[in-house]
Amino acid sequence: MQTQSTQQALWLALHQQVESYEGWALMIKLAAFALCTLAMLYHQTWVAMAILPLLWLLDAIYKTFQGRLEKELLKIEQADANATPQLYSDWQQNRPSALGLISEYLRASLRPTVAFPYPLLIAAVLIQYFH
């Protein structure tokens, strides 16, 4: 069994990595915006239409990595509730049902910070493509 300080250090390292994936997700979104803007400026909408799904998938891959780390954080929290913050365990205990999660994801997808830039870029590309 790991000591408390080792558990705390591991928890902190994994938590920081989870947070860094948020930064990478933002960079992917910015790359999507920049690449689509360039494609549209040069009237190459087919490039934008090819790139957007790939970047969206890459964003999802990073979120999958993030989810794996969150599972490890839960294990650490469950191993010693007194040694580490219970951030992930608390969420796990209050997690909604599958339908509740889907509903939560759909509501979250409507928030500007999540919706930006994919639907806007897709709309812009489609407008340019059809005109």
Short mmCIF file of all heavy atoms in Angstrom, two decimals, residues 38-39 46 52 56 59 64 70 77 79-80 110 114 117-118 124:
data_model
loop_
_atom_site.label_atom_id
_atom_site.label_comp_id
_atom_site.label_asym_id
_atom_site.label_seq_id
_atom_site.Cartn_x
_atom_site.Cartn_y
_atom_site.Cartn_z
N LEU A 38 -8.91 29.14 -43.07
CA LEU A 38 -8.01 29.12 -44.24
C LEU A 38 -8.64 28.41 -45.42
O LEU A 38 -8.55 28.88 -46.56
CB LEU A 38 -6.69 28.46 -43.87
CG LEU A 38 -5.75 29.29 -42.99
CD1 LEU A 38 -4.56 28.43 -42.55
CD2 LEU A 38 -5.29 30.53 -43.73
N ALA A 39 -9.27 27.28 -45.16
CA ALA A 39 -9.90 26.53 -46.25
C ALA A 39 -10.99 27.37 -46.92
O ALA A 39 -11.12 27.38 -48.15
CB ALA A 39 -10.47 25.22 -45.73
N TRP A 46 -14.18 21.72 -49.31
CA TRP A 46 -14.07 20.27 -49.17
C TRP A 46 -12.98 19.91 -48.16
O TRP A 46 -13.10 18.93 -47.44
CB TRP A 46 -13.79 19.60 -50.52
CG TRP A 46 -12.46 19.96 -51.11
CD1 TRP A 46 -12.17 21.02 -51.92
CD2 TRP A 46 -11.24 19.27 -50.90
NE1 TRP A 46 -10.84 21.04 -52.22
CE2 TRP A 46 -10.23 19.97 -51.62
CE3 TRP A 46 -10.88 18.14 -50.18
CZ2 TRP A 46 -8.90 19.56 -51.63
CZ3 TRP A 46 -9.56 17.74 -50.20
CH2 TRP A 46 -8.59 18.45 -50.92
N LEU A 52 -12.92 18.95 -40.32
CA LEU A 52 -13.76 19.10 -39.12
C LEU A 52 -14.08 17.77 -38.43
O LEU A 52 -13.90 17.66 -37.21
CB LEU A 52 -15.04 19.84 -39.47
CG LEU A 52 -14.92 21.35 -39.54
CD1 LEU A 52 -16.23 21.96 -40.00
CD2 LEU A 52 -14.50 21.93 -38.20
N TRP A 56 -12.79 16.82 -34.68
CA TRP A 56 -13.82 16.50 -33.68
C TRP A 56 -13.52 15.14 -33.07
O TRP A 56 -13.60 14.95 -31.86
CB TRP A 56 -15.18 16.51 -34.34
CG TRP A 56 -16.35 16.76 -33.42
CD1 TRP A 56 -16.41 16.54 -32.08
CD2 TRP A 56 -17.61 17.27 -33.79
NE1 TRP A 56 -17.63 16.87 -31.59
CE2 TRP A 56 -18.40 17.33 -32.62
CE3 TRP A 56 -18.18 17.67 -34.99
CZ2 TRP A 56 -19.71 17.78 -32.63
CZ3 TRP A 56 -19.49 18.12 -34.98
CH2 TRP A 56 -20.24 18.17 -33.82
N ASP A 59 -10.58 15.44 -30.74
CA ASP A 59 -11.06 16.02 -29.49
C ASP A 59 -11.68 14.92 -28.62
O ASP A 59 -11.42 14.83 -27.42
CB ASP A 59 -12.08 17.11 -29.81
CG ASP A 59 -12.31 18.09 -28.68
OD1 ASP A 59 -11.83 17.87 -27.56
OD2 ASP A 59 -13.00 19.10 -28.93
N THR A 64 -11.38 10.83 -24.18
CA THR A 64 -11.31 9.44 -23.76
C THR A 64 -10.10 9.22 -22.86
O THR A 64 -10.19 8.56 -21.82
CB THR A 64 -11.26 8.51 -24.98
OG1 THR A 64 -12.42 8.74 -25.78
CG2 THR A 64 -11.21 7.05 -24.56
N GLU A 70 -9.44 9.82 -15.10
CA GLU A 70 -10.44 10.04 -14.06
C GLU A 70 -10.77 8.74 -13.35
O GLU A 70 -10.99 8.74 -12.12
CB GLU A 70 -11.69 10.67 -14.67
CG GLU A 70 -11.48 12.12 -15.08
CD GLU A 70 -12.64 12.68 -15.88
OE1 GLU A 70 -13.58 11.93 -16.24
OE2 GLU A 70 -12.59 13.89 -16.16
N GLU A 77 -8.92 7.74 -4.81
CA GLU A 77 -9.81 8.33 -3.82
C GLU A 77 -10.50 7.25 -2.99
O GLU A 77 -10.67 7.39 -1.78
CB GLU A 77 -10.85 9.22 -4.50
CG GLU A 77 -10.26 10.50 -5.05
CD GLU A 77 -11.28 11.36 -5.76
OE1 GLU A 77 -12.49 11.04 -5.73
OE2 GLU A 77 -10.87 12.38 -6.35
N ALA A 79 -9.35 4.28 -2.36
CA ALA A 79 -8.38 3.53 -1.56
C ALA A 79 -8.14 4.20 -0.21
O ALA A 79 -7.95 3.53 0.79
CB ALA A 79 -7.06 3.38 -2.31
N ASP A 80 -8.16 5.52 -0.20
CA ASP A 80 -7.92 6.23 1.06
C ASP A 80 -8.65 7.57 1.03
O ASP A 80 -8.13 8.57 0.56
CB ASP A 80 -6.43 6.43 1.29
CG ASP A 80 -6.14 6.92 2.70
OD1 ASP A 80 -7.08 7.25 3.44
OD2 ASP A 80 -4.95 6.95 3.06
N LEU A 110 -25.19 22.58 -25.88
CA LEU A 110 -25.79 23.86 -26.28
C LEU A 110 -25.09 25.06 -25.66
O LEU A 110 -25.34 26.20 -26.06
CB LEU A 110 -27.28 23.87 -25.92
CG LEU A 110 -28.13 22.80 -26.59
CD1 LEU A 110 -29.56 22.85 -26.07
CD2 LEU A 110 -28.08 22.94 -28.10
N VAL A 114 -18.99 24.96 -25.40
CA VAL A 114 -18.89 23.62 -25.96
C VAL A 114 -19.21 23.65 -27.45
O VAL A 114 -18.51 23.07 -28.26
CB VAL A 114 -19.81 22.63 -25.22
CG1 VAL A 114 -19.79 21.26 -25.86
CG2 VAL A 114 -19.40 22.54 -23.75
N PRO A 117 -16.25 25.60 -31.62
CA PRO A 117 -16.56 26.18 -32.92
C PRO A 117 -17.26 25.24 -33.89
O PRO A 117 -17.61 25.65 -34.99
CB PRO A 117 -15.18 26.51 -33.46
CG PRO A 117 -14.35 25.36 -32.99
CD PRO A 117 -14.91 25.01 -31.62
N TYR A 118 -17.49 23.98 -33.51
CA TYR A 118 -17.90 22.99 -34.50
C TYR A 118 -19.18 23.31 -35.26
O TYR A 118 -19.16 23.36 -36.49
CB TYR A 118 -17.95 21.60 -33.87
CG TYR A 118 -16.62 21.19 -33.29
CD1 TYR A 118 -16.44 21.06 -31.93
CD2 TYR A 118 -15.53 20.96 -34.12
CE1 TYR A 118 -15.21 20.71 -31.40
CE2 TYR A 118 -14.30 20.60 -33.60
CZ TYR A 118 -14.15 20.49 -32.24
OH TYR A 118 -12.93 20.14 -31.72
N ALA A 124 -20.82 27.52 -41.55
CA ALA A 124 -20.10 28.42 -42.45
C ALA A 124 -19.58 27.67 -43.68
O ALA A 124 -19.67 28.17 -44.81
CB ALA A 124 -18.95 29.09 -41.71
#
